[in-house]
Structure formats: structure tokens, C-alpha cells
Amino acid sequence: MTVAPVIDQLDRPLGVLRLSLTARCNLACPYCCPDAKEPEGLLNLEAQLAVIRAACRLGAHTLRLTGGEPLLSDRLWPLLEQLAAGRTDPSDPLHQLRQLTLTSNGILLTPQRALQLKALGLDRVTISLDGADAISVARMTGLPGEARTGERLLAQVLRALKAARAAGFDPRLGQLKLNSVIQNGVNQDQLIPLAALAREQQLELRLIEYMDVGNRNGWTEQQVVPAAEMIARLHRHWPLEPVGRAHHATANRWRYRDGGGVVGVIASITEPFCGDCNRLRVTADGLAFTCLFANEGLDLRRWLMPRPDHAGLMAVLTAAWHGREDRFSELRAQLGSPSPHAEMAYLGG
């Protein structure tokens, strides 16, 4: 199979497809504000595979399955089965996928599901956790004051990490990571406890600046804890040395000098990395977004329903990427916040 990588207006190739399986979540994190129900017209399995194969033909080498909470979707398992079969066939565009990952809050990640994910060829699991104690977990999952619920959720996430590790997702190989959003005035006190937890679990922790995605979360710049400040605070506890940010990656990484592992920071607000962004997002109902901060998407359903028009889909995605010039984070001050602004859970983060 011949791959013809597409390049946008800023010479950025398409490399990563983030496919959302659902906009629903079993948590209510206030920085994300997920929907309570699915949008209409969800892509079926045939349409999902058509989108993935088209992206692969255009150069995508990584597929990230997201939500909402993707483990809520009963469409996850049939999709993984088809992806596993296609990746082993050199004539299938899916053979181009070098990495298949899933992002989850971990609540539904049982030992059985972790083993299924591994058996179906998933290469990496990223778990989201924004607090290291019951009260903080309750607050960050939209359940303030519910300490007992926070204890239960934290215990479930820790069990999920154990299950993923037992299933063969090796954190030393980057196959199991921990994501944490740090919000000033809300959970900034959890920075050191989360880092201590990640060090204890030998996990790479990725600290994420609170972002202005969507209209529901009440974002203000004062709520952002800058990446440089987070690294400085960590450095005072455990001295760090820079590793850097790989080309097209989101995280700028640092290594603990005492051998305690690696920590990354995703600084979309204070240190934007638009210049080499290679990600295309497709929502669960088939809208393609070329930027996390975009205010509108391209509706692909015309080329997907009732049956995929593969040539038409290739043409429209090629044109969309060729015309892409998004760099909202770099131009945030000049552009202001676009309106309407798609929500994070709908876009898949």
C-alpha cells in the first residue's frame, strides 16, 4: 500500500488521528464538562474504519481512541477486533498504524478488560487522575464534598493501574501513563502528591495546563498553573534535568536525577506547540476538527452514511488538511476565544 502524506499550509504532516467513541462520561469533571447523552448520528463500525483507513492512507501512523469515556462504548471492542486484523495485513492501510492507544479515567478498567485490550493489540493506556486523596478526587470529578465517593473512585483508579500493569502494559516502555490536569485554586495542592504517587508507581506523569476548550468550564487565565511553575515546584522536591519535547509530541519531558522516572508537561497555554502539531480529531458523530480549539468541524457523514464513499472521503480530508493553518494557541491573545467553541469531551480531548 502506498502512503501519500498530506502537508498543511504550515508544512505540518498528518500523523495522529484522535477518534472519539463517545461524548458521554461516567464522571463530571468540571474542566471537561461531558455531555449527558450521545450526539445523534454516531458513526457505525464501517464508517469508523473508513475514517481510520483514509487517515492512514494520508500519513497517519498513530490512532488514539478517546471519549468522553471510551470504555462506556460497546463499539470499542468490535473496532479493536477489526483494527487488530487489519494491522497484521500488509495490504491493509491499517498496517500503517505504529501505535494504538486509549485514554480512560480508569473507573471501568477491570483486570478482564485490561487483558482484552492487550490481547486486541492496544499499545498504550493513559489513565486520567487529578488528585491523590479522596477529597481532591471528588472535587475534580465533579462530586465536591463526597469524600466516600472520592475514596471509591481513587481506589478504582489504583486498581485500574494495577490491572493494566498486570495485563502487560509496561510503564518502563511508555505503555502506561498518568495524565493530570492542574487548575490553580482547585487542585494545585495536588501537584506534589500526584508526582509522589507516579514515582511510587513508576509511571510517567503528564501534567496538563488547564485549557480554554469549550464554553462550559468558566476558564480564566488566572486558573492556569504555568508549566514552568509546576516544574520549578517539582524540582525543589526532586531535582530534574530536561529531556525535551520530541518532534510532533505534546509533552515537554524532564527526568528525575535520582532515577525516579520521567515527568512531562503539556503547556498549551504558556508554551504552545502549534508549529509541529500533526493531529486530526474526529468526533463520535463524524465531525473532523483540525485543531483542539476550533470553533467548527467538517461534517464527514455525507461521505460515510449510509455506506462509505472512500474516494470522496479521501478527497475531502485531503483538501481539509491541505488548507489547514490552525495555530490558535500561538495566536490566543490576538484571536480571543472563538465562539461557539466545541467542548472537550465532544472533541475527544
Side-chain angles (χ1 to χ4, degrees):
M1 186 204 64
T2 302
V3 174
V6 287
I7 306 297
D8 71 6
Q9 295 294 302
L10 300 177
D11 293 323
R12 298 170 295 187
L14 171 59
V16 177
L17 172 64
R18 296 184 63 102
L19 179 64
S20 180
L21 303 185
T22 175
R24 295 184 302 120
C25 189
N26 48 354
L27 300 179
C29 303
Y31 60 81
C32 182
C33 302
D35 292 330
K37 62 180 181 179
E38 298 284 19
E40 295 181 1
L42 293 181
L43 299 185
N44 60 27
L45 178 60
E46 187 179 25
Q48 290 174 324
L49 290 168
V51 169
I52 298 167
R53 286 191 168 103
C56 288
R57 289 188 180 99
L58 296 175
H61 51 72
T62 297
L63 173 61
R64 306 199 189 287
L65 300 176
T66 70
E69 172 48 53
L71 289 175
L72 279 176
S73 175
D74 57 8
R75 299 178 306 139
L76 169 64
W77 306 106
L79 177 59
L80 286 175
E81 290 172 358
Q82 292 296 312
L83 292 172
R87 292 178 78 188
T88 64
D89 182 354
S91 67
D92 193 318
L94 299 176
H95 189 66
Q96 296 296 126
L97 289 176
R98 300 198 298 265
Q99 190 176 70
L100 172 60
T101 75
L102 179 138
T103 300
S104 170
N105 58 38
I107 303 302
L108 299 176
L109 187 57
T110 62
Q112 180 183 4
R113 289 193 177 112
L115 286 169
Q116 286 180 285
L117 292 173
K118 190 65 176 176
L120 289 171
L122 196 75
D123 298 302
R124 190 179 87 196
V125 177
T126 299
I127 303 293
S128 299
L129 179 65
D130 305 315
D133 62 58
I135 294 296
S136 297
V137 170
R139 182 188 309 123
M140 293 303 292
T141 54
L143 302 166
E146 298 285 345
R148 184 174 300 178
T149 300
E151 289 176 3
R152 175 177 57 82
L153 294 176
L154 180 56
Q156 287 175 313
V157 173
L158 294 176
R159 284 196 294 268
L161 292 170
K162 182 178 179 179
R165 194 189 303 265
F169 293 99
D170 190 343
R172 296 170 298 179
L173 301 177
Q175 297 172 351
L176 180 60
K177 297 186 179 183
L178 194 66
N179 275 0
S180 300
V181 174
I182 302 298
Q183 186 177 353
N184 192 36
V186 182
N187 72 329
Q188 77 283 355
D189 62 325
Q190 292 300 294
L191 175 63
I192 301 303
L194 282 165
L197 173 64
R199 283 166 55 88
E200 177 187 331
Q201 296 270 336
Q202 298 181 312
L203 297 168
E204 179 173 334
L205 173 65
R206 297 194 300 183
L207 299 163
I208 303 172
E209 289 182 342
Y210 179 46
M211 292 183 286
D212 51 336
V213 180
N215 304 289
R216 303 171 185 165
N217 63 13
W219 183 90
T220 65
E221 191 172 354
Q222 291 70 37
Q223 294 172 301
V224 177
V225 181
E229 180 181 328
M230 289 192 272
I231 290 298
R233 287 180 58 191
L234 290 179
H235 182 71
R236 289 195 290 270
H237 280 76
W238 306 284
L240 293 160
E241 58 188 21
V243 175
R245 184 176 70 87
H247 197 48
H248 300 307
T250 57
N252 191 14
R253 301 167 77 234
W254 299 74
R255 181 186 297 112
Y256 293 109
R257 290 179 183 167
D258 65 1
V262 173
V263 61
V265 285
I266 300 176
S268 297
I269 307 299
T270 64
E271 301 171 20
F273 38 86
C274 303
D276 61 356
C277 176
N278 65 348
R279 288 170 292 285
L280 171 68
R281 291 171 170 83
V282 176
T283 64
D285 58 344
L287 269 65
F289 288 81
T290 54
C291 178
L292 177 59
F293 302 93
N295 57 0
E296 61 182 16
L298 170 66
D299 193 342
L300 301 178
R301 286 172 292 190
R302 171 182 168 185
W303 297 276
L304 294 170
M305 303 290 192
R307 297 295 299 274
D309 170 5
H310 298 288
L313 181 63
M314 284 285 291
V316 73
L317 285 176
T318 298
W321 196 269
H322 276 324
R324 177 183 187 244
E325 52 186 5
D326 305 276
R327 53 191 188 105
F328 175 78
S329 284
E330 291 180 350
L331 302 176
R332 179 180 277 101
Q334 298 98 297
L335 295 176
S337 183
S339 181
H341 200 165
E343 299 299 327
M344 182 177 291
Y346 177 69
L347 283 175

